[in-house]
Amino acid sequence: MHVLAKEAVLTGARVLVETLSLHGVQVVFGIPGTHNLAIYEEIGRAGIRCVTSRHEQGCGYAADGYARVTGRPGVVLTTTGPGVVNAATALGQAYSDSSPILLVSPGVPTGHPREGRGYLHESRDQSRAIAALCAWSHRVTSVSEIQAAVARAFAHFIEGRPRPVHIEIPVDLLEARARVKLVPPYQITPRMPGARPLDEAAALLRSARQPGFVLGGGAQYPGYEKSPVGRIAMRMAERVGARIVTTVNGKGAVPESHPLVLGSTLHLAAVRRWLASCDVVLAVGTELGPADLWDDAFTLWGRLVRVDIDPAQMHGDHIADVAIVADAELAVRGILERLEQLDPMPEPPGNGWRHGDYEAELAELTRRWSGQLAALRRALPPESVVVGDNSMCVYHGALVGMPMDPPGRFLFPTGFGTLGFALPAAIGAKLGRPHLPVVALAGDGAFQFSLQELATAVELELSLPVVVFANGGFGEIREEMRVRGMRPIAVDLHAPDFPALAVAYGARGCAVKTPGELEEAVTEALRVPVPTVIVVPEDD
């Protein structure tokens, strides 16, 4: 797009779109409405690609998937009021998973009275409501302020923890004109670690007899490329004899086929026992939160070295003994350089690891889906992107039953724990990396939260297998009711004929019974230019 070198008189909508273009935005996920038409008019002139989901929540999830595989912020454009609120759940999920999402919406006009007057899509305080679910929400008050607000958003994504933000532009400012000088984005340098904490971390790891590493989402390289943090962490682990476990968002940062890597298994009791017994733990880019540990009361007994871009994490549930607030790659590289200057350990420690407990627990957890997961591994190339919904087949099954080596990626809605994530996020991931195989995995309950996005995938001609594990409703909640001694209530759901519904949308659909049939169906689905819904019956 043409970059303006001098001041010019521009509308607010033009300033917004020009500024987005200057920041490298190539695609916008949104739904047009009465109040954002001026923005869409400028987007059309700018040549930015518009992806129209069937619900604003789907726009948010698609932007999230796009951001996770490209490393570029996902941009969502809604109309005022209900459009913004519809996207709120996706913003909450992006906040939990540290995804860089920019939501842009119109707002009520600048002179609108606070008590309201029945204006279309009017809400009491749209910006304040959304601010509760994202890093910040800002309502601009002039045309000239729009450029600064967008620049602030993109700086936030780079210099700190990349959580979602919202910019509200009063609808009258979109058509208003002002003299504005557009400038390119300013450069932001990574946050450098201090020498002293790096020295302390290296000394602790060198002297540890039972070290353990935890790699979170902050250890993943932005985008799809192989994580340099993961490569450096592997070298460190081999040098000091540490085992590595990852969080869900860290899955794929290191090769899960490596003998020192335990995969994304923090929720296994055997792994938590081992981690609690480590005398030194290095945690990179992770909250060490209950959503990953499945344990609200987990306690570390050893010394904790924390590497995180977010200073608040140093005083979280697990207080750092050595706090390194810095860019993760610079920090772990600095620790490794210091370790390599020290004498290598004569023999890596045994690490207190009881292999049998881990294997038995892993086998029991994945027993229900072992055949199907093996079939998926055979059908999917190593570089595949696997997008999971908050379904039993994923967090009990694929998370641990589908080992992943770089550059494969695993996308999952942790923390906030939304349903309906997989299909729209897979659409965003496929748009972000069209040359890569992408597969969506969901239970039949979760799939029905966003199945209308099949229409979006059909429209975009995406080759996308959508594997639906059917257990007749909300299987996890059903099991929790039984554990409580309850009679299951409100969890057994009527499901449509998913393959027939897929065909009605213009997609393909089939039902399979055996792992062999699943492997064949997924292999075929990767070859055709439309999404394919593949239903797998799940034994209760």
Side-chain angles (χ1 to χ4, degrees):
M1 185 176 185
H2 177 62
V3 177
L4 300 178
K6 298 181 180 179
E7 286 188 347
V9 176
L10 304 172
T11 64
R14 176 78 182 276
V15 172
L16 171 67
V17 174
E18 290 272 5
T19 307
L20 290 175
S21 184
L22 283 170
H23 283 83
V25 174
Q26 299 173 350
V27 58
V28 168
F29 301 89
I31 297 178
T34 299
H35 291 160
N36 65 14
L37 296 184
I39 302 175
Y40 269 92
E41 184 177 21
E42 294 298 337
I43 287 176
R45 292 170 179 164
I48 295 175
R49 185 177 190 181
C50 294
V51 176
T52 306
S53 300
R54 295 312 187 260
H55 189 282
E56 287 89 355
Q57 192 175 115
C59 297
Y61 294 149
D64 194 337
Y66 177 90
R68 294 195 201 200
V69 300
T70 64
R72 300 190 296 273
V75 178
V76 178
L77 174 58
T78 72
T79 193
T80 323
V84 175
V85 175
N86 282 345
T89 299
L91 287 192
Q93 188 59 62
Y95 184 89
S96 178
D97 287 344
S98 301
S99 290
I101 306 298
L102 170 59
L103 169 61
V104 178
S105 76
V108 294
T110 51
H112 185 271
R114 285 189 175 272
E115 64 271 17
R117 60 181 182 84
Y119 188 79
L120 178 65
H121 299 331
E122 180 182 85
S123 59
R124 290 178 59 195
D125 195 333
Q126 174 180 278
S127 183
R128 186 176 177 185
I130 289 298
L133 291 168
C134 57
W136 51 263
S137 175
H138 178 66
R139 176 177 163 92
V140 303
T141 57
S142 68
V143 171
S144 59
E145 190 184 351
I146 294 171
Q147 180 180 206
V150 174
R152 177 190 172 200
F154 280 82
H156 159 80
F157 297 143
I158 297 172
E159 67 185 358
R161 190 170 180 177
R163 283 171 152 168
V165 299
H166 170 230
I167 297 175
E168 177 183 312
I169 306 174
V171 65
D172 56 315
L173 294 185
L174 294 175
E175 305 278 6
R177 294 177 177 272
R179 184 169 293 277
V180 177
K181 181 179 180 180
L182 297 181
V183 297
Y186 53 87
Q187 296 298 311
I188 299 173
T189 58
R191 182 176 292 182
M192 300 290 292
R196 181 175 176 180
L198 295 180
D199 292 340
E200 293 174 350
L204 276 177
L205 290 171
R206 173 62 181 79
S207 63
R209 297 307 304 166
Q210 196 169 306
F213 293 179
V214 183
L215 304 184
Q220 286 277 25
Y221 193 73
Y224 189 82
E225 292 80 3
K226 191 174 180 181
S227 169
V229 177
R231 292 199 303 271
I232 298 166
M234 282 304 317
R235 289 171 59 186
M236 290 169 57
E238 291 166 350
R239 187 171 184 87
V240 302
R243 289 187 179 274
I244 299 178
V245 64
T246 72
T247 68
V248 178
N249 285 335
K251 184 177 176 70
V254 288
E256 294 186 320
S257 60
H258 194 287
L260 288 177
V261 176
L262 304 176
S264 298
T265 56
L266 275 174
H267 56 298
L268 299 188
V271 174
R272 292 198 303 271
R273 285 194 299 269
W274 158 76
L275 189 64
S277 69
C278 289
D279 58 342
V280 177
V281 172
L282 170 65
V284 181
T286 172
E287 294 172 319
L288 289 173
D292 280 304
L293 292 157
W294 292 16
D295 184 349
D296 291 347
F298 177 77
T299 301
L300 287 170
W301 297 105
R303 306 289 296 278
L304 175 60
V305 179
R306 298 200 80 148
V307 174
D308 209 291
I309 198 69
D310 183 1
Q313 294 308 311
M314 303 304 158
H315 297 277
D317 290 345
H318 306 276
I319 297 175
D321 294 289
V322 178
I324 305 175
V325 180
D327 175 84
E329 181 181 354
L330 295 177
V332 294
R333 192 179 299 281
I335 297 172
L336 177 62
E337 289 171 354
R338 285 158 173 78
L339 284 172
E340 290 177 339
Q341 293 169 4
L342 301 172
D343 293 334
M345 303 183 73
E347 182 179 344
N351 216 288
W353 179 246
R354 289 180 291 180
H355 189 70
D357 293 349
Y358 165 78
E359 291 290 348
E361 193 175 355
L362 193 63
E364 176 59 26
L365 188 67
T366 60
R367 172 186 51 81
R368 186 184 299 183
W369 303 277
S370 58
Q372 293 95 331
L373 296 176
L376 285 170
R377 290 199 302 272
R378 291 192 299 268
L380 295 172
E383 69 275 14
S384 296
V385 178
V386 178
V387 187
D389 223 307
N390 214 321
S391 304
M392 295 177 72
C393 58
V394 180
Y395 52 75
H396 284 316
L399 176 60
V400 292
M402 291 185 68
M404 187 166 288
D405 287 1
R409 287 298 294 269
F410 188 87
L411 314 186
F412 182 76
T414 60
F416 203 56
T418 186
L419 294 175
F421 175 83
L423 174 55
I427 291 171
K430 187 66 178 176
L431 289 172
R433 298 286 182 177
H435 63 287
L436 294 174
V438 178
V439 61
L441 308 179
D444 54 340
F447 181 53
Q448 292 184 76
F449 274 65
S450 58
L451 60 79
Q452 70 276 4
E453 300 304 341
L454 281 171
T456 310
V458 168
E459 220 165 52
L460 296 168
E461 299 182 343
L462 299 184
S463 175
L464 181 64
V466 182
V467 183
V468 179
F469 291 80
N471 60 19
F474 299 129
E476 172 69 16
I477 308 306
R478 184 190 295 128
E479 290 197 4
E480 289 184 19
M481 288 177 173
R482 288 171 177 166
V483 169
R484 288 173 62 92
M486 290 176 58
R487 178 179 62 85
I489 182 172
V491 291
D492 298 319
L493 307 179
H494 169 74
D497 183 336
F498 290 120
L501 187 62
V503 171
Y505 271 115
R508 299 171 69 250
C510 65
V512 300
K513 295 182 179 179
T514 68
E517 291 175 350
L518 175 59
E519 180 182 359
E520 182 179 345
V522 172
T523 301
E524 176 62 21
L526 291 171
R527 297 184 183 134
V528 296
V530 291
T532 303
V533 175
I534 304 166
V535 179
V536 181
E538 180 185 316
D539 295 332
D540 193 9

